[in-house]
Amino acid sequence: GAGVSQSPSNKVTEKGKDVELRCDPISGHTALYWYRQSLGQGLEFLIYFQGNSAPDKSGLPSDRFSAERTGGSVSTLTIQRTQQEDSAVYLCASSLKRNTEAFFGQGTRLTVV
Amino acid sequence: GESVGLHLPTLSVQEGDNSIINCAYSNSASDYFIWYKQESGKGPQFIIDIRSNMDKRQGQRVTVLLNKTVKHLSLQIAATQPGDSAVYFCAEISGYSTLTFGKGTMLLVSP
């Protein structure tokens, strides 16, 4: 597709379950970002991948959160043992390289019940 | 100043007015800045960007001004339309750091 694609668009899960969120960036984009946005809030940085470099994981809120990017393309954000405070919209963005415009997907709305 | 939680700074304007949305950024080493528009239920949408070697850049109905001395960024929207109603975020990149977002301003345009 032409844009950043995220799946699923909505996810409801029970507290304590693990979830995986997927991001398909724009083809050829070397930079990929994950953000979290709670209702009415700004974007909280989670993790950043740039090419083959080690990812910047400085924004991950706890060791329950992890992400990987396979083959420099698709990325998966995994949240283990979900908690209610994990409920938010998880946004993925990609850019051609670091200092260029980043394009966002529509996000995955995660609800932990 | 900035607000947190559900109380985003809000700018209310009439259709046809010019709007100015302001952003104070934190890192004097930031060298690239972007303005995003986010409508309800959607991901942020790129509006315009500017690099630190510039102080002004114009697009269609939008102008971004950068004042590095006071670390201030503004977005000017000419002839604001109801479709411009959204939350607007500024974002910055510095060195090898990631894209960092401000807290956002809600723009409400009345017909």
Side-chain angles (χ1 to χ4, degrees), chain A residues 4 7 10 12 14 17 21-22 29-30 32 40 43 46 51 53 64 68 74 77 86-87 95 99 103-104 111:
Chain A
V4 176
S7 61
N10 282 283
V12 179
E14 292 181 351
K17 300 281 190 181
L21 312 180
R22 178 187 169 104
H29 281 195
T30 64
L32 186 147
L43 279 75
L46 296 176
S53 302
R64 296 187 295 106
E68 59 180 27
V74 172
L77 177 69
D86 299 334
S87 297
S95 63
N99 261 11
F103 297 89
F104 280 82
T111 303

Side-chain angles (χ1 to χ4, degrees), chain A residues 8-46:
Chain A
S9 54
N10 282 283
K11 175 73 176 178
V12 179
T13 190
E14 292 181 351
K15 178 181 173 181
K17 300 281 190 181
D18 298 351
V19 294
E20 283 190 353
L21 312 180
R22 178 187 169 104
C23 173
D24 282 272
I26 294 172
S27 179
H29 281 195
T30 64
L32 186 147
Y33 307 82
W34 281 100
Y35 291 87
R36 178 168 71 174
Q37 187 174 35
S38 300
L39 184 64
Q41 301 269 1
L43 279 75
E44 175 190 4
F45 166 70
L46 296 176

Side-chain angles (χ1 to χ4, degrees), chain B residues 59-74:
Chain B
Q60 185 177 12
R61 281 204 306 121
V62 294
T63 301
V64 55
L65 299 178
L66 174 62
N67 185 330
K68 294 182 288 293
T69 302
V70 295
K71 293 188 288 186
H72 184 268
L73 197 65
S74 69

Side-chain angles (χ1 to χ4, degrees), chain A residues 84-105:
Chain A
Q84 288 185 328
E85 61 263 29
D86 299 334
S87 297
V89 175
Y90 289 81
L91 290 158
C92 175
S94 72
S95 63
L96 190 60
K97 51 184 180 179
R98 191 186 70 82
N99 261 11
T100 58
E101 60 195 84
F103 297 89
F104 280 82

